[in-house]
Protein backbone atom coordinates (compact mmCIF):
# COMPACT_ATOMS: atom_id res chain seq x y z
CA UNK A 1 0.00 0.00 0.00
CA UNK A 2 2.72 2.38 1.06
CA UNK A 3 4.76 1.60 -2.06
CA UNK A 4 1.67 2.16 -4.25
CA UNK A 5 1.03 5.51 -2.63
CA UNK A 6 4.63 6.68 -3.10
CA UNK A 7 4.57 5.61 -6.77
CA UNK A 8 1.42 7.63 -7.43
CA UNK A 9 2.94 10.54 -5.51
CA UNK A 10 6.04 10.26 -7.72
CA UNK A 11 3.97 10.28 -10.93
CA UNK A 12 2.02 13.27 -9.65
CA UNK A 13 5.26 15.17 -8.94
CA UNK A 14 6.60 14.25 -12.38
CA UNK A 15 3.45 15.57 -14.03
CA UNK A 16 3.57 18.79 -12.03
CA UNK A 17 7.18 19.36 -13.06
CA UNK A 18 6.52 18.51 -16.68
CA UNK A 19 3.58 20.90 -16.76
CA UNK A 20 5.66 23.63 -15.14
CA UNK A 21 8.40 23.23 -17.77
CA UNK A 22 5.87 23.21 -20.62
CA UNK A 23 4.38 26.49 -19.35
CA UNK A 24 7.87 27.95 -18.96
CA UNK A 25 8.98 26.87 -22.44
CA UNK A 26 5.80 28.04 -24.16
CA UNK A 27 5.66 31.31 -22.17
CA UNK A 28 1.84 31.29 -22.51
CA UNK A 29 -0.31 28.18 -22.90
CA UNK A 30 -3.83 27.08 -21.95
CA UNK A 31 -4.82 24.05 -19.89
CA UNK A 32 -6.40 22.44 -22.96
CA UNK A 33 -3.18 22.77 -24.94
CA UNK A 34 -1.15 21.28 -22.07
CA UNK A 35 -3.55 18.33 -21.87
CA UNK A 36 -3.12 17.73 -25.62
CA UNK A 37 0.68 17.97 -25.40
CA UNK A 38 0.90 15.54 -22.49
CA UNK A 39 -1.85 13.17 -23.53
CA UNK A 40 -3.52 13.72 -20.15
CA UNK A 41 -7.09 14.47 -19.18
CA UNK A 42 -8.02 18.11 -18.68
CA UNK A 43 -9.09 17.26 -15.13
CA UNK A 44 -5.62 15.94 -14.19
CA UNK A 45 -3.94 18.94 -15.82
CA UNK A 46 -6.34 21.27 -14.01
CA UNK A 47 -5.46 19.66 -10.66
CA UNK A 48 -1.69 19.99 -11.24
CA UNK A 49 -2.05 23.58 -12.45
CA UNK A 50 -4.09 24.40 -9.33
CA UNK A 51 -1.23 23.07 -7.16
CA UNK A 52 1.35 25.09 -9.11
CA UNK A 53 -0.81 28.21 -8.75
CA UNK A 54 -1.31 27.65 -5.05
CA UNK A 55 2.46 27.28 -4.54
CA UNK A 56 2.94 30.50 -6.50
CA UNK A 57 4.85 29.18 -9.53
CA UNK A 58 2.13 29.70 -12.12
CA UNK A 59 -0.43 32.44 -12.73
CA UNK A 60 -3.30 33.04 -15.09
CA UNK A 61 -2.92 35.71 -17.73
CA UNK A 62 -5.13 37.11 -20.45
CA UNK A 63 -7.97 35.25 -22.06
CA UNK A 64 -7.38 34.40 -25.68
CA UNK A 65 -9.95 33.40 -28.28
CA UNK A 66 -12.40 34.74 -30.80
CA UNK A 67 -15.61 36.39 -29.65
CA UNK A 68 -17.65 33.47 -30.97
CA UNK A 69 -15.26 30.67 -29.96
CA UNK A 70 -14.47 29.48 -26.46
CA UNK A 71 -12.20 31.69 -24.44
CA UNK A 72 -8.96 30.11 -23.26
CA UNK A 73 -7.19 31.34 -20.16
CA UNK A 74 -3.46 31.47 -20.78
CA UNK A 75 -1.05 30.29 -18.08
CA UNK A 76 2.37 31.80 -17.37
CA UNK A 77 5.06 31.08 -14.84
CA UNK A 78 5.74 33.60 -12.07
CA UNK A 79 9.38 34.42 -12.93
CA UNK A 80 10.34 35.96 -9.59
CA UNK A 81 9.34 32.78 -7.72
CA UNK A 82 12.65 31.26 -8.87
CA UNK A 83 16.00 32.98 -8.34
CA UNK A 84 19.41 31.63 -9.26
CA UNK A 85 22.84 33.23 -8.91
CA UNK A 86 25.21 32.58 -11.84
CA UNK A 87 28.98 32.92 -11.48
CA UNK A 88 30.97 32.50 -14.69
CA UNK A 89 34.76 32.36 -14.55
CA UNK A 90 36.87 33.58 -17.44
CA UNK A 91 40.62 33.87 -17.29
CA UNK A 92 40.49 37.65 -16.99
CA UNK A 93 37.23 38.24 -15.10
CA UNK A 94 34.21 36.86 -13.30
CA UNK A 95 30.77 37.56 -14.75
CA UNK A 96 28.14 37.38 -12.02
CA UNK A 97 24.39 37.76 -12.16
CA UNK A 98 21.02 37.08 -10.62
CA UNK A 99 18.56 35.31 -12.92
CA UNK A 100 14.85 34.59 -12.50
CA UNK A 101 12.85 31.61 -13.70
CA UNK A 102 12.15 33.20 -17.08
CA UNK A 103 15.83 33.88 -17.77
CA UNK A 104 15.58 37.60 -16.98
CA UNK A 105 18.79 38.99 -15.54
CA UNK A 106 17.86 41.06 -12.49
CA UNK A 107 21.39 42.15 -11.56
CA UNK A 108 24.80 41.78 -13.15
CA UNK A 109 28.37 42.72 -12.37
CA UNK A 110 31.84 41.82 -13.61
CA UNK A 111 34.96 41.49 -11.48
CA UNK A 112 38.49 41.67 -12.88
CA UNK A 113 40.77 38.76 -12.01
CA UNK A 114 44.32 39.94 -11.49
CA UNK A 115 45.85 36.77 -10.05
CA UNK A 116 45.23 33.12 -10.76
CA UNK A 117 45.88 31.84 -7.21
CA UNK A 118 42.91 29.83 -5.87
CA UNK A 119 42.78 31.87 -2.63
CA UNK A 120 42.47 35.13 -4.58
CA UNK A 121 39.94 33.84 -7.12
CA UNK A 122 37.75 32.16 -4.45
CA UNK A 123 37.70 35.46 -2.51
CA UNK A 124 36.61 37.30 -5.69
CA UNK A 125 33.87 34.72 -6.27
CA UNK A 126 32.63 35.26 -2.69
CA UNK A 127 32.56 39.04 -3.23
CA UNK A 128 30.46 38.43 -6.36
CA UNK A 129 28.08 36.04 -4.55
CA UNK A 130 27.71 38.42 -1.58
CA UNK A 131 26.87 41.27 -3.94
CA UNK A 132 24.18 39.20 -5.68
CA UNK A 133 22.76 37.96 -2.35
CA UNK A 134 22.51 41.62 -1.33
CA UNK A 135 20.30 42.27 -4.38
CA UNK A 136 17.66 39.81 -3.10
CA UNK A 137 15.15 41.25 -0.61
CA UNK A 138 15.03 39.21 2.64
CA UNK A 139 11.46 38.07 2.04
CA UNK A 140 12.44 36.64 -1.35
CA UNK A 141 15.58 34.78 -0.24
CA UNK A 142 13.51 31.60 0.06
CA UNK A 143 13.08 31.74 -3.73
CA UNK A 144 16.83 31.27 -4.26
CA UNK A 145 17.24 27.75 -5.65
CA UNK A 146 21.02 27.81 -5.72
CA UNK A 147 24.26 29.17 -7.08
CA UNK A 148 25.66 27.91 -10.39
CA UNK A 149 29.37 28.27 -11.07
CA UNK A 150 31.01 27.73 -14.48
CA UNK A 151 34.73 27.09 -14.73
CA UNK A 152 36.98 26.51 -17.75
CA UNK A 153 38.54 23.08 -17.31
CA UNK A 154 37.71 19.60 -16.08
CA UNK A 155 35.20 19.61 -13.25
CA UNK A 156 33.57 16.84 -11.23
CA UNK A 157 30.09 18.37 -11.36
CA UNK A 158 28.80 16.03 -8.65
CA UNK A 159 31.29 17.22 -6.02
CA UNK A 160 32.38 20.61 -7.37
CA UNK A 161 36.01 19.49 -7.58
CA UNK A 162 37.95 21.35 -10.27
CA UNK A 163 40.30 18.57 -11.33
CA UNK A 164 42.22 20.65 -13.81
CA UNK A 165 41.88 24.18 -15.10
CA UNK A 166 44.78 24.98 -17.46
CA UNK A 167 43.53 28.59 -17.76
CA UNK A 168 44.23 29.15 -14.05
CA UNK A 169 46.91 26.43 -13.68
CA UNK A 170 44.70 24.82 -11.00
CA UNK A 171 44.70 21.18 -10.06
CA UNK A 172 42.33 19.47 -7.62
CA UNK A 173 40.75 22.63 -6.25
CA UNK A 174 37.63 21.74 -4.29
CA UNK A 175 35.74 24.87 -5.28
CA UNK A 176 32.33 23.37 -4.50
CA UNK A 177 33.28 22.51 -0.89
CA UNK A 178 35.00 25.86 -0.32
CA UNK A 179 31.84 27.70 -1.34
CA UNK A 180 29.45 25.31 0.41
CA UNK A 181 31.33 26.04 3.66
CA UNK A 182 30.31 29.71 3.31
CA UNK A 183 26.78 29.56 1.88
CA UNK A 184 23.76 27.46 2.90
CA UNK A 185 22.57 27.02 -0.70
CA UNK A 186 22.88 24.44 -3.46
CA UNK A 187 26.15 25.15 -5.20
CA UNK A 188 26.68 23.48 -8.56
CA UNK A 189 30.05 23.79 -10.29
CA UNK A 190 30.50 22.58 -13.85
CA UNK A 191 32.61 23.07 -16.94
CA UNK A 192 31.88 26.36 -18.74
CA UNK A 193 31.01 24.92 -22.15
CA UNK A 194 28.78 22.21 -20.70
CA UNK A 195 27.00 25.04 -18.87
CA UNK A 196 26.37 26.71 -22.24
CA UNK A 197 24.76 23.51 -23.51
CA UNK A 198 22.47 23.44 -20.44
CA UNK A 199 21.58 27.09 -21.11
CA UNK A 200 20.47 26.25 -24.67
CA UNK A 201 17.94 23.81 -23.24
CA UNK A 202 16.85 26.30 -20.61
CA UNK A 203 16.38 29.07 -23.19
CA UNK A 204 14.51 26.69 -25.48
CA UNK A 205 16.24 27.97 -28.60
CA UNK A 206 17.10 24.59 -30.12
CA UNK A 207 14.85 22.78 -32.63
CA UNK A 208 15.63 19.46 -30.98
CA UNK A 209 16.96 20.11 -27.47
CA UNK A 210 18.06 16.47 -27.20
CA UNK A 211 20.61 16.58 -30.04
CA UNK A 212 22.96 19.47 -30.58
CA UNK A 213 26.54 20.62 -30.28
CA UNK A 214 27.94 23.76 -28.67
CA UNK A 215 31.34 24.91 -29.94
CA UNK A 216 32.97 27.49 -27.71
CA UNK A 217 35.58 29.83 -29.20
CA UNK A 218 37.20 31.92 -26.51
CA UNK A 219 40.56 32.03 -24.75
CA UNK A 220 40.65 28.32 -25.51
CA UNK A 221 38.36 26.14 -27.58
CA UNK A 222 36.04 23.37 -26.40
CA UNK A 223 32.71 21.78 -27.22
CA UNK A 224 29.77 20.13 -25.49
CA UNK A 225 27.56 17.49 -27.02
CA UNK A 226 23.93 16.90 -26.07
CA UNK A 227 22.88 13.43 -27.25
CA UNK A 228 19.66 11.67 -26.30
CA UNK A 229 18.92 14.63 -24.04
CA UNK A 230 22.07 14.05 -21.99
CA UNK A 231 25.40 15.80 -21.93
CA UNK A 232 28.24 13.57 -23.12
CA UNK A 233 30.73 13.68 -20.28
CA UNK A 234 32.86 10.54 -20.51
CA UNK A 235 34.52 8.98 -17.47
CA UNK A 236 36.16 12.18 -16.15
CA UNK A 237 33.95 14.87 -17.71
CA UNK A 238 36.76 15.46 -20.22
CA UNK A 239 34.59 14.70 -23.28
CA UNK A 240 34.57 17.82 -25.44
CA UNK A 241 38.00 19.20 -24.47
CA UNK A 242 38.93 19.45 -28.12
CA UNK A 243 41.20 22.44 -27.51
CA UNK A 244 43.66 19.98 -26.01
CA UNK A 245 43.62 17.51 -28.89
CA UNK A 246 47.25 17.31 -29.96
CA UNK A 247 47.59 18.31 -33.60
CA UNK A 248 51.38 18.71 -33.74
CA UNK A 249 53.58 16.69 -31.33
CA UNK A 250 56.39 19.26 -31.67
CA UNK A 251 54.13 22.30 -31.63
CA UNK A 252 53.82 25.27 -29.28
CA UNK A 253 53.69 24.63 -25.51
CA UNK A 254 50.09 24.69 -24.22
CA UNK A 255 48.75 25.82 -20.80
CA UNK A 256 48.06 22.15 -20.08
CA UNK A 257 51.77 21.31 -20.24
CA UNK A 258 51.71 19.46 -23.54
CA UNK A 259 52.81 20.62 -26.97
CA UNK A 260 50.83 21.30 -30.11
CA UNK A 261 47.30 21.30 -28.67
CA UNK A 262 44.67 22.61 -31.10
CA UNK A 263 44.10 25.75 -29.06
CA UNK A 264 47.74 26.77 -29.44
CA UNK A 265 46.79 27.34 -33.13
CA UNK A 266 43.19 28.46 -33.06
CA UNK A 267 41.97 30.44 -30.05
CA UNK A 268 41.95 33.99 -28.81
CA UNK A 269 44.95 33.18 -26.66
CA UNK A 270 46.96 31.80 -29.60
CA UNK A 271 46.26 34.87 -31.74
CA UNK A 272 47.32 37.18 -28.91
CA UNK A 273 50.55 35.21 -28.44
CA UNK A 274 51.30 35.09 -32.15
CA UNK A 275 50.64 38.77 -32.84
CA UNK A 276 51.71 40.18 -29.47
CA UNK A 277 48.56 42.35 -29.26
CA UNK A 278 45.06 41.89 -27.81
CA UNK A 279 42.49 40.02 -29.89
CA UNK A 280 40.33 43.15 -30.11
CA UNK A 281 43.28 45.12 -31.44
CA UNK A 282 44.01 42.36 -33.98
CA UNK A 283 40.39 42.53 -35.18
CA UNK A 284 40.60 46.31 -35.49
CA UNK A 285 43.80 46.09 -37.56
CA UNK A 286 42.28 43.28 -39.65
CA UNK A 287 39.41 45.59 -40.51
CA UNK A 288 41.95 48.21 -41.60
CA UNK A 289 43.52 45.62 -43.90
CA UNK A 290 46.72 45.27 -41.88
CA UNK A 291 48.52 42.58 -43.86
CA UNK A 292 49.79 40.48 -40.95
CA UNK A 293 46.52 40.52 -38.97
CA UNK A 294 44.58 39.85 -42.16
CA UNK A 295 46.70 36.78 -42.89
CA UNK A 296 46.67 35.38 -39.33
CA UNK A 297 42.95 35.92 -38.66
CA UNK A 298 41.94 34.54 -42.06
CA UNK A 299 44.05 31.46 -41.47
CA UNK A 300 42.40 30.97 -38.09
CA UNK A 301 38.83 31.45 -39.38
CA UNK A 302 39.54 28.94 -42.14
CA UNK A 303 40.93 26.38 -39.68
CA UNK A 304 37.94 26.81 -37.34
CA UNK A 305 35.63 26.18 -40.32
CA UNK A 306 37.58 23.01 -41.07
CA UNK A 307 37.30 21.83 -37.46
CA UNK A 308 33.57 22.53 -37.38
CA UNK A 309 33.30 20.22 -40.41
CA UNK A 310 35.44 17.64 -38.56
CA UNK A 311 33.07 17.85 -35.56
CA UNK A 312 30.18 17.01 -37.87
CA UNK A 313 31.99 13.81 -38.81
CA UNK A 314 32.63 13.06 -35.14
CA UNK A 315 29.19 13.83 -33.70
CA UNK A 316 26.72 14.21 -36.58
CA UNK A 317 24.65 16.89 -34.77
CA UNK A 318 21.45 18.44 -36.10
CA UNK A 319 22.41 21.89 -34.87
CA UNK A 320 25.66 23.56 -33.89
CA UNK A 321 25.68 26.63 -31.67
CA UNK A 322 28.83 28.71 -31.97
CA UNK A 323 29.54 30.77 -28.88
CA UNK A 324 32.38 32.47 -27.00
CA UNK A 325 34.22 35.76 -26.71
CA UNK A 326 35.95 35.40 -30.11
CA UNK A 327 32.57 35.63 -31.80
CA UNK A 328 31.45 38.45 -29.49
CA UNK A 329 34.52 40.49 -30.35
CA UNK A 330 34.69 39.73 -34.08
CA UNK A 331 31.27 40.00 -35.75
CA UNK A 332 32.39 38.73 -39.18
CA UNK A 333 33.78 35.47 -37.76
CA UNK A 334 30.43 33.68 -37.57
CA UNK A 335 29.68 34.05 -41.30
CA UNK A 336 33.27 33.18 -42.18
CA UNK A 337 32.93 29.89 -40.28
CA UNK A 338 29.49 29.06 -41.70
CA UNK A 339 30.52 29.79 -45.30
CA UNK A 340 33.98 28.27 -44.86
CA UNK A 341 32.66 25.02 -43.38
CA UNK A 342 30.62 24.36 -46.57
CA UNK A 343 33.89 23.83 -48.38
CA UNK A 344 34.81 21.02 -45.99
CA UNK A 345 31.42 19.40 -45.35
CA UNK A 346 30.02 16.59 -47.46
CA UNK A 347 27.43 18.10 -49.75
CA UNK A 348 24.54 15.92 -48.55
CA UNK A 349 25.28 16.95 -44.91
CA UNK A 350 26.02 20.59 -45.61
CA UNK A 351 22.48 21.57 -46.61
CA UNK A 352 20.83 19.90 -43.58
CA UNK A 353 23.02 21.17 -40.79
CA UNK A 354 22.10 24.33 -38.93
CA UNK A 355 24.89 26.46 -37.52
CA UNK A 356 23.51 29.11 -35.19
CA UNK A 357 24.54 31.95 -32.94
CA UNK A 358 23.47 31.80 -29.29
CA UNK A 359 20.35 33.63 -28.22
CA UNK A 360 22.34 35.93 -25.95
CA UNK A 361 25.75 37.56 -26.21
CA UNK A 362 28.64 38.33 -23.89
CA UNK A 363 28.04 38.76 -20.17
CA UNK A 364 24.32 37.85 -20.31
CA UNK A 365 25.14 34.66 -22.19
CA UNK A 366 27.71 33.78 -19.50
CA UNK A 367 25.39 34.51 -16.56
CA UNK A 368 22.55 32.41 -18.00
CA UNK A 369 25.02 29.58 -18.70
CA UNK A 370 26.26 29.57 -15.10
CA UNK A 371 22.74 29.83 -13.66
CA UNK A 372 21.56 27.01 -15.94
CA UNK A 373 23.79 24.64 -13.95
CA UNK A 374 21.18 24.93 -11.20
CA UNK A 375 18.12 25.14 -13.41
CA UNK A 376 19.12 21.98 -15.34
CA UNK A 377 18.00 19.82 -12.43
CA UNK A 378 15.41 22.11 -10.93
CA UNK A 379 12.29 20.40 -9.59
CA UNK A 380 9.21 21.37 -7.62
CA UNK A 381 8.25 19.07 -4.73
CA UNK A 382 5.45 19.72 -2.27
CA UNK A 383 5.13 23.29 -3.50
CA UNK A 384 8.84 24.09 -3.00
CA UNK A 385 11.75 24.26 -5.44
CA UNK A 386 14.77 21.97 -5.20
CA UNK A 387 17.95 21.10 -6.99
CA UNK A 388 17.49 17.39 -7.59
CA UNK A 389 20.83 15.65 -6.98
CA UNK A 390 19.27 12.29 -7.83
CA UNK A 391 18.65 13.20 -11.49
ZN1 LIG B 1 46.67 21.60 -24.09
Amino acid sequence: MAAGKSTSQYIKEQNINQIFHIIRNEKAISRVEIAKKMGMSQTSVGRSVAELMEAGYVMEGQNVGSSVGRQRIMLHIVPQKILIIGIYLLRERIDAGLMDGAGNILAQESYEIEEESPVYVVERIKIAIDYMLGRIPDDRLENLVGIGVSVPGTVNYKTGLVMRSPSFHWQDLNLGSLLKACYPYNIIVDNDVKSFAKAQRFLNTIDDPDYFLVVHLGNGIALAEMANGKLSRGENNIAGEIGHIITDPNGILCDCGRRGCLQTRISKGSIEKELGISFQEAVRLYQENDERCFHVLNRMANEIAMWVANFVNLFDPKEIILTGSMLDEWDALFDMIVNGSKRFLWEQVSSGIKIKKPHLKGIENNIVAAASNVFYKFVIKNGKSYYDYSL
Side-chain angles (χ1 to χ4, degrees):
M1 278 296 276
K5 196 179 172 191
S6 70
T7 306
S8 69
Q9 178 65 22
Y10 176 74
I11 292 168
K12 199 180 113 192
E13 274 171 12
Q14 283 228 313
N15 286 340
I16 285 181
N17 277 288
Q18 211 182 332
I19 289 171
F20 171 78
H21 286 288
I22 287 174
I23 299 171
R24 202 192 63 78
N25 278 341
E26 299 292 327
K27 293 189 174 71
I29 188 167
S30 70
R31 289 173 178 82
V32 178
E33 287 166 316
I34 296 171
K36 258 190 223 158
K37 253 184 192 287
M38 292 186 67
M40 277 171 72
S41 73
Q42 284 185 44
T43 319
S44 311
V45 169
R47 221 177 286 140
S48 297
V49 168
E51 282 197 34
L52 283 166
M53 284 177 64
E54 199 186 326
Y57 289 98
V58 167
M59 61 183 176
E60 289 183 340
Q62 281 181 327
N63 292 5
V64 173
S66 64
S67 51
V68 283
R70 259 184 80 179
Q71 296 272 311
R72 292 172 300 138
I73 301 165
M74 302 310 271
L75 301 164
H76 312 264
I77 66 154
V78 178
Q80 62 272 27
K81 181 71 183 165
I82 299 159
L83 295 173
I84 299 171
I85 292 175
I87 302 288
Y88 188 95
L89 262 72
L90 294 110
R91 193 175 5 205
E92 66 279 9
R93 65 169 204 271
I94 297 167
D95 287 340
L98 179 65
M99 186 184 89
D100 71 14
N104 300 309
I105 293 169
L106 309 175
Q108 69 179 64
E109 197 63 60
S110 289
Y111 300 82
E112 299 293 317
I113 296 180
E114 280 154 11
E115 283 176 40
E116 60 186 30
S117 79
V119 176
Y120 170 84
V121 178
V122 171
E123 277 312 307
R124 296 293 277 168
I125 293 172
K126 285 198 225 162
I127 290 169
I129 293 175
D130 290 342
Y131 178 80
M132 291 305 151
L133 286 171
R135 307 273 76 74
I136 307 172
D138 286 350
D139 61 344
R140 284 180 56 200
L141 215 48
E142 61 171 20
N143 297 346
L144 183 67
V145 190
I147 302 168
V149 184
S150 296
V151 181
T154 311
V155 181
N156 181 334
Y157 65 101
K158 290 178 184 162
T159 62
L161 174 75
V162 180
M163 290 180 277
R164 193 183 180 91
S165 178
S167 301
F168 292 102
H169 300 100
W170 291 347
Q171 272 198 30
D172 294 329
L173 173 67
N174 212 329
L175 185 57
S177 300
L178 288 169
L179 295 175
K180 276 175 202 163
C182 305
Y183 302 100
Y185 304 107
N186 294 310
I187 295 181
I188 312 302
V189 186
D190 203 351
N191 165 269
D192 53 354
V193 186
K194 292 190 171 74
S195 310
F196 274 118
K198 294 175 190 175
Q200 303 315 310
R201 278 172 78 92
F202 170 71
L203 293 167
N204 198 28
T205 55
I206 306 287
D207 291 351
D208 182 350
D210 289 344
Y211 279 98
F212 64 91
L213 205 63
V214 171
V215 177
H216 184 257
L217 306 164
N219 285 325
I221 97 165
L223 61 78
E225 183 203 21
M226 190 73 74
N228 282 320
K230 284 199 159 172
L231 274 169
S232 305
R233 293 187 181 272
E235 181 64 21
N236 298 296
N237 209 12
I238 289 174
E241 290 287 352
I242 38 98
H244 298 284
I245 284 176
I246 299 167
T247 56
D248 175 3
N250 303 313
I252 300 164
L253 189 65
C254 176
D255 282 339
C256 75
R258 302 188 301 188
R259 285 192 174 276
C261 288
L262 180 60
Q263 68 183 41
T264 64
R265 275 189 72 78
I266 52 169
S267 69
K268 210 167 124 179
S270 75
I271 294 293
E272 291 179 342
K273 254 186 206 162
E274 187 171 347
L275 293 171
I277 51 175
S278 73
F279 183 70
Q280 275 167 316
E281 180 66 2
V283 170
R284 196 185 63 76
L285 289 169
Y286 171 93
Q287 284 157 348
E288 287 174 6
N289 291 322
D290 175 271
E291 203 180 322
R292 188 150 173 255
C293 290
F294 193 82
H295 171 76
V296 171
L297 291 191
N298 267 336
R299 181 210 29 98
M300 189 192 63
N302 197 42
E303 280 195 31
I304 295 174
M306 178 191 81
W307 278 99
V308 167
N310 286 343
F311 301 151
V312 172
N313 280 55
L314 269 172
F315 301 102
D316 192 16
K318 288 183 186 173
E319 276 173 84
I320 300 176
I321 317 299
L322 299 179
T323 181
S325 56
M326 264 163 94
L327 292 145
D328 290 339
E329 290 165 24
W330 185 16
D331 278 340
L333 180 60
F334 179 81
D335 287 337
M336 288 169 88
I337 296 170
V338 173
N339 295 330
S341 66
K342 288 183 185 139
R343 199 156 66 82
F344 301 107
L345 283 164
W346 283 320
E347 211 174 303
Q348 54 275 54
V349 180
S350 175
S351 56
I353 194 142
K354 272 191 195 168
I355 303 178
K356 298 201 318 201
K357 285 180 190 177
H359 197 61
L360 300 167
K361 266 180 93 172
I363 295 174
E364 289 192 347
N365 196 19
N366 295 343
I367 292 167
V368 173
S372 293
N373 285 324
V374 176
F375 204 89
Y376 195 57
K377 293 187 177 182
F378 167 87
V379 287
I380 298 166
K381 258 186 205 170
N382 301 323
K384 288 211 162 82
S385 54
Y386 292 90
Y387 178 85
D388 192 338
Y389 287 89
S390 71
L391 287 173

